Amino acid sequence: MKPIEKWLNQSLTKIEPMRIIATTEARCNLACEHCYWAHDMSSAPISDWRPAARKIANLGVPVFFAGRILTPNGAFFLKHCISEGIKEIGIVDNGYTILTEPNLLPHYTSINISIDGWREKHDQQRGKVGAFDKAWSTVMELKKQGYDPIISSALSPITLNEWERFENLLAENDVPVSSTLVWALPNTAKRGTAVFAEKEMCVAFEKLMGGIPKLINIYSFEHAQTLWPILSQLHWNLDTEFGDCLTATLSSGVTIVYRPASLVSVFELSLQWDGVFYTPFTYGKGVPEDEVDTSYLEWARKTNTTELELWSSILKGGD
């Protein structure tokens, strides 16, 4: 039974990782407004990543490297993943570090470069002047070398301005984009990150649904609730490729993906810089895998029930 089918049947009863998100550094060279990590963390990297790489290989699941930046420490981990025979390795980079390890490039099955919008807006959200130019030059260099990088955008009230100009640049250079709306999390709330109010969110989402073909990700149940007047009018299918999400494809070439929080909470693990595997942090329930107990699984099941209360009416008519 695929994960999304277990979600529909409300049978999320244990941790069953189908992917690993690896973050091997506590520090980063940027101070992004929307980042769900704190900006003042001290790094305590472990010296031997072989046990972690071996565990991922034994699980037989993909690993997605979300750095936060690709340091020698992160490269060491990825090289062990390759030596352990892990076939699917994706990377998300802010454009500053991926080219520092050219020997790793042929091993990535997906490359995502984070650019949130047009130049000044991206720099503002990322907290550094020149961040856009650096990231875009990295995209162009990767394309020159024969790779197909995807732009990963975090859309906020800041980057929504001049979004059409940004999309035109992507279209002119044949660069695909995957976008996500910024949402409020503990650390983003503390620093006053700009997030969409309800009406603004619907306007921003409709803008995303237009323009060039793209992937739109929805990870937040709160976003799904706010966007429900729009989402409920679309035709949704159970994902058949990965089996962990709902998808709606528009005639414009835009694909919308919703990954239920409860499903992600049991089918995804986060490998952190201390070498420990945790449940996902983005939902506020990150705990070490070996400390997952009945209360955590009960939280997942309750969340599962709440999500289905929203989605069940239109899923009855879906595929």
Side-chain angles (χ1 to χ4, degrees):
M1 185 183 297
K2 291 185 176 180
I4 195 67
E5 293 171 335
K6 291 189 175 184
W7 179 74
L8 285 170
N9 295 330
Q10 299 188 66
S11 55
L12 304 180
T13 58
K14 60 181 179 179
I15 301 296
E16 301 179 74
M18 62 179 295
R19 71 172 63 85
I20 305 297
I21 309 299
T23 304
T24 61
E25 292 294 337
R27 295 186 182 276
C28 185
N29 63 323
L30 299 181
C32 303
E33 281 289 321
H34 62 285
C35 184
Y36 55 84
W37 296 117
H39 289 160
D40 57 353
M41 295 185 294
S42 59
S43 186
I46 63 172
S47 59
D48 188 357
W49 288 99
R50 284 174 291 188
R54 193 170 301 121
K55 175 173 179 173
I56 298 169
N58 290 337
L59 287 170
V61 299
V63 59
F64 295 91
F65 185 83
R68 304 158 78 184
I69 49 177
L70 182 57
T71 63
N73 183 51
F76 186 71
F77 163 72
L78 290 172
K79 289 171 184 176
H80 281 304
C81 288
I82 294 166
S83 66
E84 289 290 340
I86 297 172
K87 302 299 183 184
E88 189 171 345
I89 302 174
I91 185 170
V92 181
D93 189 78
N94 62 21
Y96 279 86
T97 58
I98 188 173
L99 296 177
T100 63
E101 294 286 346
N103 292 335
L104 290 175
L105 292 174
H107 296 280
Y108 299 132
T109 50
S110 66
I111 296 175
N112 287 261
I113 303 298
S114 300
I115 305 180
D116 299 327
W118 190 248
R119 181 174 285 104
E120 292 80 6
K121 305 305 178 183
H122 172 82
D123 288 359
Q124 180 182 348
Q125 183 155 290
R126 295 278 165 170
K128 187 170 185 175
V129 174
F132 176 94
D133 290 336
K134 179 63 177 179
W136 186 252
S137 67
T138 296
V139 170
M140 292 295 97
E141 177 60 27
L142 288 167
K143 287 179 67 67
K144 181 180 177 181
Q145 293 187 31
Y147 299 101
D148 297 307
I150 300 168
I151 298 298
S152 180
S153 293
L155 193 66
S156 75
I158 295 171
T159 58
L160 183 64
N161 293 315
E162 298 194 80
W163 178 259
E164 294 90 344
R165 189 178 181 185
F166 180 52
E167 284 202 353
N168 289 337
L169 178 67
L170 299 179
E172 290 168 4
N173 290 275
D174 192 27
V175 179
V177 60
S178 172
S179 56
T180 306
L181 295 175
V182 171
W183 78 94
L185 293 162
N187 280 312
T188 59
K190 288 178 183 177
R191 68 178 73 106
T193 299
V195 297
F196 292 108
E198 289 190 10
K199 290 183 179 179
E200 292 175 329
M201 185 181 299
C202 291
V203 171
F205 196 80
E206 288 180 330
K207 178 176 283 192
L208 278 180
M209 290 171 63
I212 64 174
K214 64 179 73 69
L215 179 67
I216 305 174
N217 298 291
I218 303 174
Y219 295 104
S220 163
F221 178 62
E222 290 75 16
H223 280 185
Q225 289 176 304
T226 300
L227 296 169
W228 194 246
I230 299 172
L231 303 181
S232 61
Q233 301 304 309
L234 305 177
H235 179 73
W236 291 88
N237 298 292
L238 304 184
D239 170 63
T240 56
E241 183 177 3
F242 300 106
D244 68 335
C245 59
L246 305 171
T247 63
T249 301
L250 311 183
S251 58
S252 61
V254 171
T255 298
I256 304 170
V257 172
Y258 176 66
R259 283 192 169 84
S262 61
L263 187 153
V264 173
S265 72
V266 298
F267 282 98
E268 187 173 289
L269 287 177
S270 175
L271 172 63
Q272 294 301 302
W273 50 86
D274 56 3
V276 176
F277 289 83
Y278 294 82
T279 59
F281 284 79
T282 47
Y283 304 105
K285 301 295 275 186
V287 297
E289 180 191 14
D290 59 5
E291 294 180 17
V292 170
D293 56 15
T294 55
S295 65
Y296 179 88
L297 295 173
E298 181 59 27
W299 172 85
R301 286 191 291 270
K302 287 182 177 179
T303 304
N304 189 176
T305 299
T306 302
E307 291 166 337
L308 282 178
E309 287 174 354
L310 181 68
W311 284 91
S312 59
S313 60
I314 62 169
L315 290 177
K316 289 178 182 177
D319 293 342

